[in-house]
Amino acid sequence: MPTDHRPVRRSMARLLAASLMLTLASACARQAGWHDTVVTGLPALAFDMTRANDRKPVTAADYRGKVTLLYFGYASCPDVCPMTLANVGQVLRRLGRDAGSVRVLFVTVDPNRDTLPVLRQYVAAFGPQVDGLRGDPDALAALARRYRVAYSVRPGRDYEVTHSSGIYVFDRGGAARLLVSSLSTQNADLDSAGADLRRLVENGD
């Protein structure tokens, strides 16, 4: 009988998320009026990848004018990714018309298995604002380093993928503003995440 590695993946994801939070501790702070972690000192949004939804090459410039969420995961993730994206979808639905000013970038950390058709079908389940992005290993590694995101892929009989579970939020100009770490659980604080996104959409500050 095959061994169930899901508890291991969940534990690794939690460890990676904790590691990310510790790494960012010196660059993040809670500020009045924000519910999630305010990020300072990180570079503006920048990448060069292919969008699975329409197979077009895209960069951060294609998302200027939108509040943009950046999340790393993979299509065959058994728990953390679908839970996070489902919660993001709920937050967007609560935003109503404001959701049209938000885009979610789901960057696969497993491009070997996440082909463009696979990625397109996966993100379609979570709402029209979610774009699947796929890059070659160098582009993926560069983007992960830029935002201090941890991930690993171990091919083999027991194919194992781990990744950080936080979501970066960028304002309409592409500046990094928030780190959301509360949407990967069943008890996610949807109201707080929604309030922060609405503030960025409506006020930009």
Side-chain angles (χ1 to χ4, degrees):
M1 179 178 297
T3 302
D4 187 351
H5 291 273
R6 285 177 295 180
V8 175
R9 284 193 290 267
R10 284 194 292 268
S11 297
M12 286 297 295
R14 294 189 188 102
L15 287 172
L16 287 168
S19 174
L20 173 64
M21 292 300 293
L22 288 173
T23 301
L24 290 172
S26 61
C28 300
R30 292 283 180 182
Q31 294 184 10
W34 295 103
H35 300 87
D36 290 299
T37 304
V38 175
V39 180
T40 59
L42 287 181
L45 184 63
F47 61 86
D48 187 352
M49 293 193 167
T50 300
R51 185 165 56 201
N53 308 51
D54 55 11
R55 296 176 176 265
K56 290 184 178 180
V58 291
T59 68
D62 292 285
Y63 294 92
R64 291 292 186 267
K66 303 288 186 181
V67 172
T68 306
L69 282 63
L70 179 66
Y71 178 61
F72 293 77
Y74 62 109
S76 55
C77 179
D79 39 37
V80 175
C81 298
M83 177 67 70
T84 301
L85 291 175
N87 285 331
V88 168
Q90 289 191 58
V91 171
L92 292 176
R93 285 191 289 275
R94 292 183 180 199
L95 289 179
R97 291 184 178 180
D98 283 342
S101 297
V102 179
R103 289 295 180 272
V104 182
L105 308 182
F106 179 76
V107 178
T108 177
V109 299
D110 188 15
N112 289 332
R113 294 190 297 177
D114 287 349
T115 62
L116 293 178
V118 167
L119 198 54
R120 177 182 179 180
Q121 182 178 13
Y122 182 73
V123 299
F126 300 103
Q129 298 87 6
V130 185
D131 287 350
L133 298 185
R134 182 179 184 271
D136 62 34
D138 289 340
L140 172 60
L143 183 59
R145 283 196 304 270
R146 187 175 180 85
Y147 300 108
R148 306 170 190 176
V149 170
Y151 72 95
S152 68
V153 179
R154 298 180 182 178
R157 191 178 73 176
D158 299 324
Y159 201 106
E160 184 176 320
V161 182
T162 56
H163 60 93
S164 302
S165 60
I167 301 172
Y168 284 107
V169 182
F170 299 82
D171 64 22
R172 291 179 182 270
R177 301 296 299 274
L178 300 170
L179 176 64
V180 181
S181 56
S182 62
L183 294 180
S184 61
T185 67
Q186 291 182 345
N187 299 318
D189 190 348
L190 304 180
D191 291 335
S192 292
D196 284 348
L197 288 183
R198 190 180 298 279
R199 178 177 172 180
L200 283 173
V201 168
E202 295 180 350
N203 304 319
D205 57 14

